[in-house]
Amino acid sequence: MDAPLTARELFTEAVRAVLETWPVLQIAVDNGFGGVHSQQKANWMVDVVQQYFRENNNLEQYEVEDFLADLMNNEFDTVVDDGSLPQVALQVSQFFKQCEQGKLSEVKGQIAKLSQKKATGRAKATPVQTPANEEEEEESEEEEEGAEAMDCGEATETKSSAKLPNEQDPPSPPSAGPDEDGWTVVRRKK
């Protein structure tokens, strides 16, 4: 009776090893994509994935992929599009089959390899920085556009201020002041 429990515990450790070496999940955890409890969510995912395999018979790889994609989307607001999802789903599925078949020593060996991979380093997300030259170019372009807009504005003012001989001035609006509701109405000068 102890063997199935051992296989179950070993499968849980295998899932943990796979998820801890999955760069997408680790980046999501390290950068807090899941909120302040990102690490707890990652630990919870191990149990949920293990439970998913226990409760569903003959899972296909695409079903595992969909399940993992939903977990990443719902818990970490992360869409996995780096191509790693099929690999992770396949690894977990293979571990489950090996544990069911009693190939525990093979699973332990593969977990050890994954642990070594984890020890060598984690993936990190680094913000993209724009070189100083590009920032300066953007600022100078914005300044030029602003100057052009001012030039255009002045040109329209001079055109509108020139009147045709037949044109009459419209009646002057009432002076700016509070209206009956107490709001101050600001009118444009012509």
Side-chain angles (χ1 to χ4, degrees), residues 72-100:
M72 290 300 294
N73 188 27
N74 294 335
E75 300 302 324
F76 294 97
D77 293 327
T78 301
V79 175
V80 182
D81 63 356
D82 69 340
S84 65
L85 201 51
Q87 296 168 345
V88 172
L90 179 65
Q91 269 187 313
V92 174
S93 299
Q94 287 174 340
F95 279 133
F96 183 73
K97 287 177 186 170
Q98 289 174 336
C99 287
E100 275 190 327

Side-chain angles (χ1 to χ4, degrees), residues 21 24 33 51 57 79 123 166:
T21 57
V24 173
F33 294 175
Q51 182 179 359
N57 294 328
V79 175
N166 297 351

Side-chain angles (χ1 to χ4, degrees), residues 160 173 185-190:
S160 63
V185 179
V186 179
R187 300 200 196 296
R188 184 175 77 152
K189 290 185 179 180
K190 299 241 176 180

Side-chain angles (χ1 to χ4, degrees), residues 19 22 24-25 27-46 48-49 66-80:
L19 294 182
W22 188 17
V24 173
L25 178 59
I27 289 171
V29 169
D30 291 346
N31 292 289
F33 294 175
V36 293
H37 301 291
S38 291
Q39 185 60 53
Q40 289 85 349
K41 286 182 179 183
N43 294 337
W44 169 81
M45 269 182 74
V46 172
V48 171
V49 170
D66 290 345
F67 182 70
L68 291 170
D70 286 344
L71 285 173
M72 290 300 294
N73 188 27
N74 294 335
E75 300 302 324
F76 294 97
D77 293 327
T78 301
V79 175
V80 182

